[in-house]
Amino acid sequence: MNHRPTTLRGGLRRMYSNQVNLDFERLWRRSVVLSVVVLLIAGGAWIFRGLNLGIEFEGGTFWEAPLGNHSIAEVREALATVGQADARIQELGGGVVRVRAEVAATNTAEVAAVSAALAELGGISPNDISFSAVGPSWGAEITSKARLALIVFFIVIAVYIWLRMEWKMAVSALVAVGHDILVTVGFYALFGFEVTPATVIAFLTILGYSLYDTLVVFDKIRGNARTRKDPYFEIVTRSVNEVFMRSINTTITSVMPVLSLLIIGRFALGAVTLQEFSIALLVGLLAGTYSSLFVASPLVAWLHVWVTGERPGQRLAASERRPVAAAPRAKRPGSGPVGRSGVTTTRTHPARPAKKRRK
């Protein structure tokens, strides 16, 4: 038998033809190590570095000034003259700079001093600088409502998946969603990106995408478990292979518009709000695809092994086998492929006998 080596092009062609046969059992053992390392880094960054919460959550005072092309170092140097060298400085695009300083809104003397320093740096009038103050109660109220909504969301989703599928899938789906949220939050903590209400909206969007991708895999597992006699572990690996390219293609088509928001919206057009939204979405989409294939799916298989004692590769006894689908109906006489083109059709009458050629 002639075995030709598999080239990269041939491998990609087989992948896009959905002819994937990856050894997920071996990949899952490695993904456990990867997931633990990533979660430890994300959790450590969240605990030790904390989140850079926006002014909507922490409250405080801020100035927005059109300073043109002045760098952040120049702005900080100007603020140091009025004792605000530790102020948070953020470029909003279009030459506008936002400055957050620990100054009480009622302290009019310090507020005026900061405004004057910024006006002198930018060569503009203090009236061109906007000053605002936000109380922390607004952010606390939003945080409290978002936390309550998240708890209700987890309960409803868990009950739905439990009733619609099985409890092992409900547990696995919630673990995968928690994995995605922790990875995204840890990414923000590690790199110091500011968390704003737009970021919270992106987090909630991640929940929906992650669950959607996971449920697609679970639905395939459930369908194969009903129609095949293989051990459950093999059914899970087979199902993940069958939906692997679908998940990859869905992620590619979802990531492309998010990258457009990030590259064109943020860096070409200078819309900072799009950056806060798109970075969270981008990280969450990639984490969601990974968790549906390498967190939720193996967890379902391992929970099944833990509950039933059925080991990978173990054949079930005849009395314990799952019911299989009914056998396909027998073809009628005369039906089947016709001709050499490979086109399949169905005849309603017997085939005509071939004519004899003249010698």
Side-chain angles (χ1 to χ4, degrees):
M1 191 172 181
N2 186 20
H3 293 282
R4 291 183 300 179
T6 303
T7 62
L8 177 61
R9 184 179 179 182
L12 292 176
R13 184 180 300 170
R14 287 175 58 83
M15 287 178 62
Y16 276 92
S17 302
N18 208 20
Q19 299 176 354
V20 183
N21 189 21
L22 299 176
D23 185 3
F24 275 101
E25 186 177 350
R26 182 171 58 86
L27 293 176
W28 286 339
R29 288 196 293 268
R30 298 182 178 181
S31 69
V32 170
V33 179
L34 176 63
S35 298
V36 170
V37 171
V38 170
L39 291 179
L40 286 177
I41 295 175
W46 189 6
I47 294 173
F48 296 108
R49 290 177 61 89
L51 290 173
N52 179 19
L53 296 176
I55 194 170
E56 295 86 355
F57 297 99
E58 287 187 330
T61 54
F62 68 94
W63 293 257
E64 290 184 356
L67 300 182
N69 296 325
H70 290 284
S71 65
I72 291 180
E74 292 173 331
V75 177
R76 190 173 301 283
E77 185 178 351
L79 292 173
T81 60
V82 293
Q84 298 296 336
D86 296 332
R88 297 184 187 179
I89 304 169
Q90 180 184 10
E91 293 179 336
L92 300 183
V96 178
V97 173
R98 175 184 290 175
V99 175
R100 291 175 57 187
E102 299 296 331
V103 176
T106 56
N107 191 342
T108 56
E110 289 195 22
V111 170
V114 173
S115 299
L118 295 175
E120 183 180 358
L121 176 65
I124 57 178
S125 170
N127 295 328
D128 296 330
I129 300 174
S130 64
F131 169 75
S132 303
V134 178
S137 59
W138 187 81
E141 183 180 356
I142 287 184
T143 304
S144 174
K145 290 182 178 178
R147 189 184 299 116
L148 178 61
L150 198 61
I151 294 172
V152 173
F153 168 82
F154 276 123
I155 294 175
V156 172
I157 286 298
V159 172
Y160 173 76
I161 299 177
W162 188 355
L163 297 178
R164 186 72 176 82
M165 297 180 174
E166 52 183 299
W167 68 268
K168 297 185 289 292
M169 293 183 175
V171 172
S172 304
L174 294 184
V175 170
V177 170
H179 166 277
D180 301 340
I181 293 177
L182 182 56
V183 168
T184 309
V185 171
F187 187 85
Y188 265 70
L190 188 62
F191 293 98
F193 292 116
E194 187 174 16
V195 178
T196 64
T199 311
V200 176
I201 294 172
F203 286 165
L204 298 179
T205 308
I206 292 169
L207 300 181
Y209 177 83
S210 177
L211 275 174
Y212 166 76
D213 211 30
T214 302
L215 290 182
V216 168
V217 181
F218 286 173
D219 189 62
K220 176 61 71 174
I221 294 173
R222 191 182 59 156
N224 283 338
R226 287 180 174 177
T227 58
R228 304 188 68 84
K229 298 179 180 179
D230 300 331
Y232 193 81
F233 213 94
E234 293 181 10
I235 288 176
V236 175
T237 56
R238 180 187 183 89
S239 303
V240 175
N241 271 301
E242 289 177 355
V243 299
F244 178 76
M245 281 313 301
R246 183 189 183 283
S247 296
I248 298 298
N249 288 329
T250 303
T251 303
I252 292 175
T253 54
S254 302
V255 164
M256 288 177 68
V258 176
L259 283 177
S260 299
L261 286 177
L262 183 61
I263 297 173
I264 299 177
R266 168 64 182 95
F267 297 105
L269 303 178
V272 178
T273 306
L274 293 181
Q275 173 186 321
E276 300 161 355
F277 184 76
S278 54
I279 287 180
L281 270 185
L282 181 63
V283 177
L285 289 176
L286 297 177
T289 303
Y290 170 82
S291 67
S292 64
L293 298 175
F294 295 97
V295 176
S297 301
L299 190 56
V300 167
W302 291 330
L303 282 176
H304 184 86
V305 169
W306 179 62
V307 172
T308 64
E310 176 187 335
R311 301 297 176 189
Q314 177 184 349
R315 295 286 171 183
L316 296 175
S319 58
E320 298 175 349
R321 287 178 181 172
R322 289 175 287 276
V324 299
R329 300 172 63 182
K331 294 181 179 179
R332 291 178 298 178
S335 63
V338 177
R340 298 178 179 178
S341 61
V343 177
T344 303
T345 183
T346 302
R347 291 195 185 100
T348 57
H349 56 279
R352 178 184 296 176
K355 294 182 179 179
K356 295 182 179 179
R357 293 183 178 180
R358 295 181 179 178
K359 295 183 178 178

